[in-house]
Amino acid sequence: MRLPCSCCGPRDSGEFVYRGDATLRRPPPDAPETHWADYVYLRDNPAGPHRELWYHQPCRSWLVITRDTRSHAILAAEAAEAVARAVQAGPEAR
Amino acid sequence: MSSVQYSIFSLLRNAVRDNRGWTPAWRKATPAPRYDVVIIGGGGHGLATAYYLARHYGMRNIAVVERGWLGNGNIGRNTTIIRSNYLLPGNLPFYEKSMMLWEGLEQDINFNAMVSQRGVLNLIHSDAQRNAYARRGNAMRLHGIDAELLDARAVREKLPFLDFDNARFPILGGLLQARGGTVRHDAVAWGYARAADRLGVDIIENCEVTGLRIEGGKISGVETTRGIIAAGKVGMACAGRSSQVAAMAGLRLPIESHVLQAFVSEGLKPFIDCVVTFGAGHFYVSQSDKGGLVFGGDIDGYNSYAQRGNLPLIEDVCEGAMALMPRIGRVRLLRQWGGIMDMSMDGSPIIDRTPVDGLYLNAGWCYGGFKATPASGLCFAHLIARDEPHPVGTAFRLDRFARGAVIDEKGMGAQPNLH
Amino acid sequence: MNRHSASDRSPRAASGRKLSGRLPSGGLIDRGRPLQFRFDGQVGTAFPGDTLASALLANGIRLVGRSFKYHRPRGILTAGSEEPNALVELREGARREPNTRATIVEMFDGLVARSQNRFPSLAFDLMAASALAAPLLSAGFYYKTFMFPVAFWEKLYEPLIRRAAGLGRAAADADPDRYDKVSLFCDILVVGAGPAGLAAALTAARSGARVILCDEDFRPGGRLLSDRVELDDHPAMTWVDQALREFESCDKATLLLRTCVNSAYDGGVYAALQRVADHLPVPGTNQPRQRLVRITATCCVLASGAVERPVILEGNDRPGVMLAGAVRSYLNRFAVAPGREAVVFGNTDSALATADDLARAGIRVHAIIDSRHEESLQIRALGERLGIPYSAGARVTRTHGTTSLTGVTIADRAGETRRIRCDLLALSGGWSPALGLATHQNGRPVWDETLCAFIPGDLPPGMFVAGSVTGLSGTGAALASGHAVGAAAVATCGLTPATLDMPVTQDLPDRPGALWHTLEDLEAPSGAAFVDFQNDVMAKDIRGATREGYVSVEHLKRYTTLGMATDQGKTSNVNGLALLAAMTGRSIAETGTTTTRPPVQPIAIGALAGPHRGRHFRPERLTPTHDWARAHGAHFTTAGLWMRAQWFARPSDPTWQETVNREVMTVRRAVGFCDVTTLGKIDIQGPDATRFLERIYCNNFARLAVGRVRYGLMLREDGFAFDDGTTARLGETHYLMTTTTANAAKIMEHLEYCRQWLFPEDDVQMISVTDEWAQIALAGPKSREVLAAIVDPGFDVGNAALPFMATVETTVCGSIPARLFRISFSGELAYEIAVPARHGAVLADALMRAGAPFSIAPYGTEALGVLRIEKGHPAGSELNGQTTAHDLGFGKLLSRKKDYIGARMAQRPALTDPGRQTLVGLMPLAPDAVLGAGAHLLPDHAAATAANDQGWVSSSAWSPTCGSWIGLGFLADGAHRHREIVAVHDPVRGNIVRARVCPPVFVDPDGGRLHA
């Protein structure tokens, strides 16, 4: 499998570390504890397109990659920092 | 129902009659309109559950629904290892119960699954690892489980062909569970299926569940590709597909599905007698009764339902193989395959009720589901029949994650691919 | 052949009956250079261009192996990598290769091979007696018996089964050869250099694409090497040679022979195995034996051809039964006669025309048997021309012979049978596309009723198929398909496809008729009619499996072991499915097929490991003082990838324990130093660095002054302890963090995750500087004097200028830039001195000189461990991912005033429960009683049961300072149980001692020495 690093271009999956679901949002500190438990422990785990976090070790970039978990087809790749900033800016900004 | 008892006598009787006397190991059942219990998943755990429900809990009106052919999931895709060499009190009694059930399995179900207690040896490569394995071995002893801490000399006597002299990570010893070993994996599925069938369980293949019927917070049946089946209780034993089936009831699980690859070599004259795990890399191996080296390593590490892995992991596993056993350089890898593991957030399983009345969950087996098959079936049957956890499975609660009462053998936290 | 006739080692003379099979002329062999080889100790002659199989046949050897279960005598069925029968142990000693297919072993001078799975000899195999018990040994018989008495399985039955298991023997010693790995990139990968592959590759190369053309054979050409085909009125090899010349002249084109593309992975990644030196007696100097080639390709043209099938009939496994295409290979490519008197049986014109090839080689053909009911005009004409009887609508029903074929029984259209003498049956049931690579990404093959074949279905992204792998027959069709598909691949790569002048061919497409078996009674198939030759799966085993309900293709495979041998069913799977379909009254399409798994051909484990074995399994990280330490008597230990000095033995130390005691006491009484470079060091800078650290650590960092250092504890988001270390504030917006050695990379990843994903608003950057700085801990009451002696003049290292937990930048040893941290892991007055990595050894030397008046000594990780246990600092075995801040006694560190990673989850009751096992110290009642780390803690005098398991020992050591063994451990409610006596239960080491619980600090509990 090859993953497109936003910094280095397509690279072999052996260079990456997987983190998981990129749709999870860290709750605010005062959110109910159930929100926190859901954030830490529960996953949609879809069979199909999955937005997920990967870390490219050689360049230390975190990426949000959209990948189909049935076929391993790569559908999109974005720099995680850009995604995170856009999320913070609110839905309008995206 | 299958009626031929398996024995040397039935074999001899059939041998002189062109083997015409055998009958199907299990019927090709068609769905009845209603069952007391429907088990979703015709793998090892589902079939064992149905068997124990019928055998020990007096239930008869049971169906197992399987979307493909019986045993097509992880029961037929693993590396056939059984062991109970766990560390934590939540796991130890359960896996030891499973070991004891393995030890009597063949006589119980009248099917030789070739339970072979050849021993499982975890190799030690550092002082810290020795201490960790001592902790584990002592925990096993306290639970009445056999465990021996071997020094380097004892390991060398047992496995003289390991790389003792030129290794990057020296072999300092090992933790041996002599009662661990291997079982012919497919035979476990067939044996439980046949035994359950003989007790009247309907095993319905090519029957995919497409929905769960829930009325007033209570389960009432399953929707399948072969029609609606009403059910008093429904048990989910869907391994890598658990999240999809649970989602039909609106549930999200503390589970990710990951691919684990396994490998077999060409058949060789036997030279590896026990199961060996390499402690300085990701590699474990045993040799089957057909002569193939059956081996594996770490999971690929990303969510997947594709039942296939990728190259870096294969290279990593073979590097471990060569680091440990340089004599197998010219032995050929024959076949590789992948299974979808229901990796839980603490590396330990879940056998519990769900928020839906009458709907039960058996999941989160990570890459350790095979050895758990008998006890998982027994505990799940107990839970479904009695609505309370079996005494050896009380720790496998669904709410333990939110509470923080995790059973984290490796200390990796809520990161499934690290367990 | 009889290996006991040692008086005459020549196989030809070993039996008067055996004659040379070498034809007087022809073949792609070099007759000018005879080679010698040995098979089962007997010498034979061969030529370059031979395979071991062709050489065996040329020397009159037809019995080559024994089958797995019944030890049936087996010969050579095929001429390719799909061979199920002719498996040998190739080479000797540490280079012994079991289960090697004689049909693909390229001949070299001095080749040694040995038959396998026979006892005592190949010709006379006692194990063949198992065939007598065949009715008892029906498929899956072992699932039905061996169950009583219970103990007999492991003591008797299984050992017997294992004695019979396996085929060849693995080498007994380490593989002496080297393996290499390489990564290649191309636009178009072409798999197979037959007519289709060559046409595709040439089209792509002409178009300017980067092309890699792989073929598993040592000569390109595919079937053109073996079939008498003319292109443009010349032998086909003329066109092949010319096409290859042009291909290789293209500068972006690469030809890899002896290279099998074994698997297709996601993203256009292919794994191929190049057999670099397998055709040589031993690899050359610095030459690898094999090379794993990782190929990343935009497109792949799969032109892997097809595999011929045998027919299921009684005795079809006898030596002398050979696939028709293989017969043509041996005749035409290798100039070898595989027999003297032949019968040809098949279902296609091309297979039946093998009679022509045989006749041209002077071999008598007694009959051409066509299974199709409709007569072929072409074959009728051929038979008339050659004077060979031709029967359509007929079939071969059984073969005769013992270890070799002596005749066949033929049933004609009317069912009349007759027996014909022959020693060769050229057999063909049609061809199965070799579509393995097309299915590696779960694409299902599709049954084509007209072609009588499974053809590729859904293809992996970027893959194209060309030639006979698509079910096509005929050279002309293959060439046209190769060119068209090659052009399509070129266009996909964004290039303009070039044209190709198609050579003119005469051959016509075949019209196959289904031919799976010639059994009379499918209800009770009698006799040894084999489906899977190597695993000895017979037609009656398939019948038995269906009777027992194993009717799914996957159940059939797993129950009977059909297709699970080393050939992975290449010649048997489709036959087995066809038989299953017939026996269950389903069509083949309904029955479906099993999944083909990688690799296409079995691949040496050594090749997949490559150079990463032995000492090179993983890289070694060396500290800046490594050579210095070696010169000073260091004994090294592994710490992850690092090599660290474990202790520094002196000739006067009688044991390693005495060495460690001396090192510890040197630190406690005077001064010692230790390389601590391996701790992770992360440089953190930016306007928001402070806020960032506040979010990373559970304790407060907001008020850390510049020039000061603080201990920090990180949690995971689930609230459990993650890692710890000290962080120094070097400037207003500049910090230096240290991590544990084990977690250095993981923390770097974690910090980047926090910065890029969780807190992108923080303006901060970080970089690992672990390898940039050599860091040495200088510890002991005399450490200040030593330090003062190495800092450059003008720097004050006094208690006021450099108090406990302070840091300062300075120069040492004559203007070497240095950072001083007054921190202590040992509990003594101590400093850590960091200098640019290249100065590590200089610093060590300087410390030795400056400390000489105090008898300074370097110390290793063992003494480091003792010192930290004496001081009660948690390390890896305490911070094991299962413990909380509360467990470690750090509960008070958890800030209540800020949000940080793990803040919410750490507050859950389960993580702070008073009953949790918390950190304690332990001292045995008898000082010299060994406390074993890993022992469990039980109430004193309590029974050794799980219910009494209250904790465990995490670290232990002999403390020369205390004159006793000491330990750290976790004990339920431990903080409230100081002074209690517990049992330290260590049965796996046979050790049970009593110990007193105490606070986890054994030395200087008030910390006075730290501030001295």
Side-chain angles (χ1 to χ4, degrees), chain B residues 20 25 70 107 112 116-117 135 184 186 267 289 306 308 315 319 327 333 335 401, chain C residues 99 143 147 154 158 171 181 266 294 442 524 548 555 557-558 603 618 641 908 936:
Chain B
R20 283 171 191 255
L70 180 149
Q107 292 71 34
N112 188 355
S116 177
Q117 294 179 289
R135 180 188 174 200
R184 170 80 180 97
D186 290 320
D289 283 349
R308 64 164 189 271
E315 295 180 61
E319 286 166 9
R327 72 179 282 191
L333 187 157
R335 189 175 165 90
F401 299 95
Chain C
N99 308 333
Y143 300 126
M147 288 181 276
E154 265 152 21
E158 191 178 34
K181 293 183 182 180
D266 294 307
R294 310 180 189 103
N442 300 2
E548 294 186 48
H555 285 155
K557 168 186 137 187
R558 288 149 185 263
I603 176 171
R618 291 291 178 258
L641 295 181
R908 291 178 292 174
H936 283 239

Short mmCIF file of all heavy atoms in Angstrom, two decimals, chain B residues 20 25 70 107 112 116-117 135 184 186 267 289 306 308 315 319 327 333 335 401, chain C residues 99 143 147 154 158 171 181 266 294 442 524 548 555 557-558 603 618 641 908 936:
data_model
loop_
_atom_site.label_atom_id
_atom_site.label_comp_id
_atom_site.label_asym_id
_atom_site.label_seq_id
_atom_site.Cartn_x
_atom_site.Cartn_y
_atom_site.Cartn_z
N ARG B 20 -19.61 -45.70 1.83
CA ARG B 20 -20.91 -45.18 1.41
C ARG B 20 -21.81 -44.84 2.59
O ARG B 20 -22.86 -44.24 2.41
CB ARG B 20 -21.64 -46.21 0.55
CG ARG B 20 -21.12 -46.31 -0.88
CD ARG B 20 -21.77 -47.50 -1.57
NE ARG B 20 -21.12 -47.80 -2.83
CZ ARG B 20 -21.68 -47.51 -4.02
NH1 ARG B 20 -22.85 -46.96 -4.09
NH2 ARG B 20 -21.04 -47.82 -5.12
N ALA B 25 -22.11 -34.14 7.93
CA ALA B 25 -21.70 -33.81 9.30
C ALA B 25 -22.73 -32.91 9.97
O ALA B 25 -22.92 -32.97 11.18
CB ALA B 25 -20.33 -33.13 9.27
N LEU B 70 -19.92 -22.08 6.47
CA LEU B 70 -19.62 -22.25 7.88
C LEU B 70 -18.10 -22.22 8.12
O LEU B 70 -17.35 -22.89 7.42
CB LEU B 70 -20.21 -23.59 8.32
CG LEU B 70 -20.07 -24.05 9.74
CD1 LEU B 70 -21.29 -24.89 10.08
CD2 LEU B 70 -18.82 -24.89 9.90
N GLN B 107 -13.65 -35.94 23.05
CA GLN B 107 -14.59 -36.90 23.59
C GLN B 107 -15.96 -36.25 23.76
O GLN B 107 -16.99 -36.90 23.56
CB GLN B 107 -14.07 -37.42 24.94
CG GLN B 107 -12.80 -38.27 24.83
CD GLN B 107 -11.56 -37.44 24.46
OE1 GLN B 107 -11.41 -36.29 24.85
NE2 GLN B 107 -10.68 -38.03 23.67
N ASN B 112 -12.37 -35.50 16.21
CA ASN B 112 -10.97 -35.32 16.55
C ASN B 112 -10.43 -34.03 15.92
O ASN B 112 -10.15 -33.99 14.73
CB ASN B 112 -10.13 -36.52 16.08
CG ASN B 112 -8.71 -36.45 16.59
OD1 ASN B 112 -8.32 -35.47 17.22
ND2 ASN B 112 -7.93 -37.48 16.33
N SER B 116 -3.38 -30.76 20.39
CA SER B 116 -2.01 -31.25 20.53
C SER B 116 -1.26 -30.36 21.50
O SER B 116 -0.88 -29.24 21.16
CB SER B 116 -1.35 -31.23 19.14
OG SER B 116 -0.01 -31.63 19.24
N GLN B 117 -1.06 -30.83 22.71
CA GLN B 117 -0.45 -29.99 23.75
C GLN B 117 1.07 -30.12 23.67
O GLN B 117 1.71 -30.75 24.49
CB GLN B 117 -1.02 -30.37 25.11
CG GLN B 117 -2.51 -30.01 25.19
CD GLN B 117 -3.15 -30.38 26.50
OE1 GLN B 117 -3.34 -31.55 26.80
NE2 GLN B 117 -3.46 -29.38 27.31
N ARG B 135 6.65 -12.47 36.18
CA ARG B 135 5.39 -11.95 36.75
C ARG B 135 4.21 -12.73 36.17
O ARG B 135 3.30 -13.15 36.88
CB ARG B 135 5.26 -10.46 36.43
CG ARG B 135 4.01 -9.85 36.99
CD ARG B 135 3.80 -8.42 36.51
NE ARG B 135 2.49 -7.94 36.95
CZ ARG B 135 1.87 -6.91 36.41
NH1 ARG B 135 2.43 -6.22 35.41
NH2 ARG B 135 0.69 -6.53 36.85
N ARG B 184 -6.31 -28.40 15.23
CA ARG B 184 -6.66 -28.29 13.81
C ARG B 184 -7.88 -27.38 13.69
O ARG B 184 -9.00 -27.78 14.01
CB ARG B 184 -6.96 -29.69 13.27
CG ARG B 184 -7.55 -29.73 11.89
CD ARG B 184 -6.53 -29.57 10.79
NE ARG B 184 -7.22 -29.62 9.52
CZ ARG B 184 -7.61 -28.54 8.82
NH1 ARG B 184 -7.31 -27.34 9.27
NH2 ARG B 184 -8.26 -28.68 7.70
N ASP B 186 -9.98 -25.78 11.39
CA ASP B 186 -11.25 -26.02 10.70
C ASP B 186 -12.08 -27.08 11.41
O ASP B 186 -13.30 -27.02 11.45
CB ASP B 186 -10.99 -26.49 9.26
CG ASP B 186 -10.43 -25.39 8.39
OD1 ASP B 186 -10.89 -24.25 8.51
OD2 ASP B 186 -9.52 -25.68 7.58
N GLY B 267 5.43 -28.20 3.13
CA GLY B 267 5.54 -29.27 4.11
C GLY B 267 6.97 -29.76 4.26
O GLY B 267 7.69 -29.94 3.27
N ASP B 289 0.84 -30.97 11.82
CA ASP B 289 0.98 -32.42 11.63
C ASP B 289 1.16 -32.78 10.15
O ASP B 289 1.50 -33.91 9.83
CB ASP B 289 -0.25 -33.15 12.20
CG ASP B 289 -0.19 -33.22 13.72
OD1 ASP B 289 0.87 -32.89 14.28
OD2 ASP B 289 -1.19 -33.61 14.34
N ALA B 306 -10.52 -6.09 4.34
CA ALA B 306 -10.16 -6.64 3.03
C ALA B 306 -9.60 -8.06 3.09
O ALA B 306 -9.38 -8.67 2.06
CB ALA B 306 -9.16 -5.73 2.33
N ARG B 308 -6.81 -9.15 3.49
CA ARG B 308 -5.49 -9.33 2.88
C ARG B 308 -4.56 -8.27 3.46
O ARG B 308 -5.00 -7.20 3.87
CB ARG B 308 -5.56 -9.19 1.36
CG ARG B 308 -5.98 -7.83 0.90
CD ARG B 308 -5.68 -7.60 -0.56
NE ARG B 308 -5.90 -6.23 -0.92
CZ ARG B 308 -7.08 -5.75 -1.34
NH1 ARG B 308 -8.11 -6.54 -1.43
NH2 ARG B 308 -7.19 -4.47 -1.64
N GLU B 315 7.58 -8.87 5.23
CA GLU B 315 9.04 -8.79 5.35
C GLU B 315 9.44 -8.77 6.83
O GLU B 315 10.39 -9.44 7.23
CB GLU B 315 9.56 -7.54 4.64
CG GLU B 315 9.33 -7.57 3.13
CD GLU B 315 9.85 -6.31 2.46
OE1 GLU B 315 11.05 -6.04 2.54
OE2 GLU B 315 9.04 -5.59 1.85
N GLU B 319 11.81 -11.46 8.61
CA GLU B 319 13.04 -11.04 9.28
C GLU B 319 13.11 -11.67 10.67
O GLU B 319 14.16 -12.17 11.09
CB GLU B 319 13.09 -9.51 9.38
CG GLU B 319 13.40 -8.84 8.05
CD GLU B 319 13.11 -7.34 8.05
OE1 GLU B 319 12.84 -6.79 9.14
OE2 GLU B 319 13.14 -6.74 6.97
N ARG B 327 18.26 -21.45 9.91
CA ARG B 327 18.29 -22.65 9.05
C ARG B 327 17.11 -22.69 8.09
O ARG B 327 17.09 -23.52 7.19
CB ARG B 327 18.29 -23.92 9.91
CG ARG B 327 16.98 -24.20 10.61
CD ARG B 327 17.00 -25.47 11.43
NE ARG B 327 16.87 -26.68 10.63
CZ ARG B 327 16.66 -27.88 11.13
NH1 ARG B 327 16.61 -28.06 12.44
NH2 ARG B 327 16.52 -28.92 10.35
N LEU B 333 7.94 -20.00 1.80
CA LEU B 333 6.60 -19.58 2.21
C LEU B 333 5.65 -19.98 1.09
O LEU B 333 5.86 -19.63 -0.08
CB LEU B 333 6.59 -18.07 2.41
CG LEU B 333 5.35 -17.41 2.99
CD1 LEU B 333 5.74 -16.08 3.61
CD2 LEU B 333 4.30 -17.18 1.94
N ARG B 335 1.98 -19.87 1.33
CA ARG B 335 0.67 -19.25 1.23
C ARG B 335 0.54 -18.23 2.35
O ARG B 335 0.94 -18.49 3.48
CB ARG B 335 -0.38 -20.35 1.38
CG ARG B 335 -1.80 -19.98 1.10
CD ARG B 335 -2.64 -21.27 1.20
NE ARG B 335 -4.05 -20.96 1.30
CZ ARG B 335 -4.85 -20.83 0.24
NH1 ARG B 335 -4.39 -21.01 -0.97
NH2 ARG B 335 -6.12 -20.53 0.41
N PHE B 401 -14.84 -0.01 29.87
CA PHE B 401 -14.03 1.02 29.21
C PHE B 401 -14.36 2.39 29.79
O PHE B 401 -13.48 3.11 30.23
CB PHE B 401 -14.27 0.97 27.70
CG PHE B 401 -13.88 -0.35 27.11
CD1 PHE B 401 -14.82 -1.35 26.90
CD2 PHE B 401 -12.56 -0.62 26.79
CE1 PHE B 401 -14.47 -2.58 26.38
CE2 PHE B 401 -12.19 -1.84 26.27
CZ PHE B 401 -13.15 -2.83 26.07
N ASN C 99 11.73 -29.95 -1.35
CA ASN C 99 10.52 -29.75 -2.16
C ASN C 99 10.77 -28.91 -3.42
O ASN C 99 9.92 -28.14 -3.85
CB ASN C 99 9.42 -29.07 -1.34
CG ASN C 99 9.15 -29.78 -0.04
OD1 ASN C 99 9.38 -30.99 0.07
ND2 ASN C 99 8.68 -29.06 0.96
N TYR C 143 -10.25 -37.17 11.51
CA TYR C 143 -11.19 -36.44 12.37
C TYR C 143 -12.12 -37.39 13.11
O TYR C 143 -12.85 -37.00 14.01
CB TYR C 143 -12.04 -35.48 11.54
CG TYR C 143 -11.23 -34.45 10.80
CD1 TYR C 143 -11.37 -34.28 9.44
CD2 TYR C 143 -10.33 -33.63 11.48
CE1 TYR C 143 -10.63 -33.34 8.75
CE2 TYR C 143 -9.59 -32.69 10.81
CZ TYR C 143 -9.74 -32.54 9.43
OH TYR C 143 -9.00 -31.60 8.76
N MET C 147 -9.43 -41.00 19.12
CA MET C 147 -9.94 -40.20 20.24
C MET C 147 -9.90 -40.96 21.57
O MET C 147 -10.01 -40.37 22.63
CB MET C 147 -11.37 -39.75 19.95
CG MET C 147 -11.39 -38.66 18.89
SD MET C 147 -13.05 -38.06 18.51
CE MET C 147 -13.62 -39.27 17.32
N GLU C 154 -1.57 -37.91 22.04
CA GLU C 154 -0.27 -37.27 22.06
C GLU C 154 0.88 -38.25 22.21
O GLU C 154 1.99 -37.99 21.78
CB GLU C 154 -0.22 -36.23 23.17
CG GLU C 154 -0.55 -34.87 22.63
CD GLU C 154 -1.17 -33.95 23.65
OE1 GLU C 154 -0.99 -34.20 24.85
OE2 GLU C 154 -1.84 -33.00 23.25
N GLU C 158 -0.42 -39.20 17.38
CA GLU C 158 0.15 -38.01 16.73
C GLU C 158 1.63 -38.19 16.38
O GLU C 158 2.04 -37.79 15.29
CB GLU C 158 -0.07 -36.78 17.58
CG GLU C 158 0.27 -35.52 16.80
CD GLU C 158 0.04 -34.24 17.56
OE1 GLU C 158 0.24 -34.25 18.78
OE2 GLU C 158 -0.32 -33.25 16.91
N ALA C 171 17.22 -27.69 5.76
CA ALA C 171 18.65 -27.78 6.08
C ALA C 171 18.82 -27.73 7.59
O ALA C 171 18.01 -27.13 8.31
CB ALA C 171 19.40 -26.63 5.42
N LYS C 181 17.48 -7.06 -1.32
CA LYS C 181 16.18 -6.47 -1.65
C LYS C 181 16.42 -5.22 -2.48
O LYS C 181 17.39 -4.50 -2.26
CB LYS C 181 15.42 -6.08 -0.38
CG LYS C 181 14.98 -7.26 0.46
CD LYS C 181 14.17 -6.80 1.66
CE LYS C 181 13.79 -8.00 2.51
NZ LYS C 181 13.01 -7.63 3.70
N ASP C 266 -1.67 -3.66 -2.53
CA ASP C 266 -2.40 -2.42 -2.74
C ASP C 266 -1.47 -1.34 -3.31
O ASP C 266 -0.29 -1.32 -3.02
CB ASP C 266 -2.97 -1.94 -1.40
CG ASP C 266 -4.02 -2.89 -0.87
OD1 ASP C 266 -4.96 -3.20 -1.62
OD2 ASP C 266 -3.89 -3.35 0.28
N ARG C 294 10.86 -5.32 -5.11
CA ARG C 294 9.57 -4.64 -4.88
C ARG C 294 9.37 -3.70 -6.06
O ARG C 294 10.18 -2.80 -6.28
CB ARG C 294 9.60 -3.82 -3.60
CG ARG C 294 10.10 -4.55 -2.36
CD ARG C 294 10.03 -3.53 -1.22
NE ARG C 294 10.65 -3.96 0.00
CZ ARG C 294 11.86 -3.53 0.41
NH1 ARG C 294 12.57 -2.70 -0.33
NH2 ARG C 294 12.34 -3.94 1.56
N ASN C 442 -8.70 -9.81 -3.96
CA ASN C 442 -10.04 -10.36 -3.73
C ASN C 442 -10.92 -10.39 -4.98
O ASN C 442 -12.12 -10.60 -4.88
CB ASN C 442 -10.77 -9.61 -2.60
CG ASN C 442 -10.02 -9.69 -1.28
OD1 ASN C 442 -8.94 -10.27 -1.20
ND2 ASN C 442 -10.59 -9.12 -0.24
N ALA C 524 -19.47 -44.08 -6.87
CA ALA C 524 -18.42 -44.82 -6.18
C ALA C 524 -17.21 -44.91 -7.09
O ALA C 524 -16.93 -45.94 -7.68
CB ALA C 524 -18.92 -46.22 -5.80
N GLU C 548 -20.49 -36.30 3.07
CA GLU C 548 -20.52 -35.80 4.45
C GLU C 548 -20.88 -34.32 4.51
O GLU C 548 -20.77 -33.69 5.57
CB GLU C 548 -19.16 -36.04 5.11
CG GLU C 548 -18.89 -37.53 5.27
CD GLU C 548 -17.63 -37.81 6.06
OE1 GLU C 548 -17.47 -37.21 7.12
OE2 GLU C 548 -16.82 -38.63 5.59
N HIS C 555 -14.93 -25.80 1.91
CA HIS C 555 -14.98 -26.97 2.79
C HIS C 555 -14.31 -28.15 2.13
O HIS C 555 -13.56 -28.91 2.78
CB HIS C 555 -16.44 -27.32 3.12
CG HIS C 555 -17.05 -26.39 4.11
ND1 HIS C 555 -18.39 -26.18 4.20
CD2 HIS C 555 -16.49 -25.62 5.06
CE1 HIS C 555 -18.65 -25.30 5.16
NE2 HIS C 555 -17.50 -24.95 5.69
N LYS C 557 -11.96 -28.19 -0.06
CA LYS C 557 -10.51 -28.00 -0.04
C LYS C 557 -9.93 -28.32 1.34
O LYS C 557 -8.97 -29.07 1.47
CB LYS C 557 -10.21 -26.54 -0.41
CG LYS C 557 -8.80 -26.10 -0.17
CD LYS C 557 -8.66 -24.62 -0.43
CE LYS C 557 -7.81 -23.99 0.65
NZ LYS C 557 -7.76 -22.53 0.57
N ARG C 558 -10.56 -27.77 2.37
CA ARG C 558 -10.02 -27.93 3.71
C ARG C 558 -10.21 -29.36 4.23
O ARG C 558 -9.38 -29.86 4.98
CB ARG C 558 -10.70 -26.93 4.65
CG ARG C 558 -10.24 -25.52 4.37
CD ARG C 558 -11.32 -24.49 4.67
NE ARG C 558 -10.89 -23.16 4.28
CZ ARG C 558 -10.38 -22.28 5.14
NH1 ARG C 558 -10.23 -22.60 6.41
NH2 ARG C 558 -10.00 -21.10 4.73
N ILE C 603 8.06 -18.96 -2.00
CA ILE C 603 9.18 -18.02 -2.00
C ILE C 603 10.00 -18.22 -0.72
O ILE C 603 9.44 -18.34 0.36
CB ILE C 603 8.66 -16.57 -2.16
CG1 ILE C 603 9.77 -15.54 -2.07
CG2 ILE C 603 7.57 -16.26 -1.18
CD1 ILE C 603 9.30 -14.15 -2.43
N ARG C 618 18.36 -6.04 13.30
CA ARG C 618 17.94 -4.65 13.51
C ARG C 618 19.21 -3.81 13.66
O ARG C 618 20.24 -4.31 14.11
CB ARG C 618 17.09 -4.53 14.79
CG ARG C 618 15.72 -5.20 14.68
CD ARG C 618 14.80 -4.46 13.71
NE ARG C 618 13.51 -5.10 13.55
CZ ARG C 618 13.16 -5.86 12.51
NH1 ARG C 618 14.02 -6.08 11.53
NH2 ARG C 618 11.96 -6.38 12.43
N LEU C 641 17.01 -0.58 20.56
CA LEU C 641 18.03 -0.68 19.51
C LEU C 641 19.41 -0.25 20.02
O LEU C 641 20.42 -0.48 19.38
CB LEU C 641 17.65 0.20 18.31
CG LEU C 641 16.38 -0.21 17.55
CD1 LEU C 641 16.16 0.74 16.37
CD2 LEU C 641 16.46 -1.64 17.06
N ARG C 908 -11.38 9.39 36.85
CA ARG C 908 -12.39 8.34 37.06
C ARG C 908 -12.06 7.55 38.32
O ARG C 908 -10.88 7.25 38.59
CB ARG C 908 -12.44 7.42 35.84
CG ARG C 908 -13.01 8.12 34.61
CD ARG C 908 -13.01 7.20 33.42
NE ARG C 908 -11.66 6.89 32.95
CZ ARG C 908 -11.40 6.02 31.99
NH1 ARG C 908 -12.38 5.34 31.43
NH2 ARG C 908 -10.15 5.81 31.59
N HIS C 936 5.05 -12.25 43.01
CA HIS C 936 3.78 -11.68 43.43
C HIS C 936 3.77 -11.50 44.95
O HIS C 936 4.51 -12.19 45.67
CB HIS C 936 2.61 -12.55 42.98
CG HIS C 936 2.31 -12.39 41.52
ND1 HIS C 936 1.09 -11.97 41.04
CD2 HIS C 936 3.10 -12.55 40.43
CE1 HIS C 936 1.13 -11.91 39.71
NE2 HIS C 936 2.34 -12.26 39.31
#
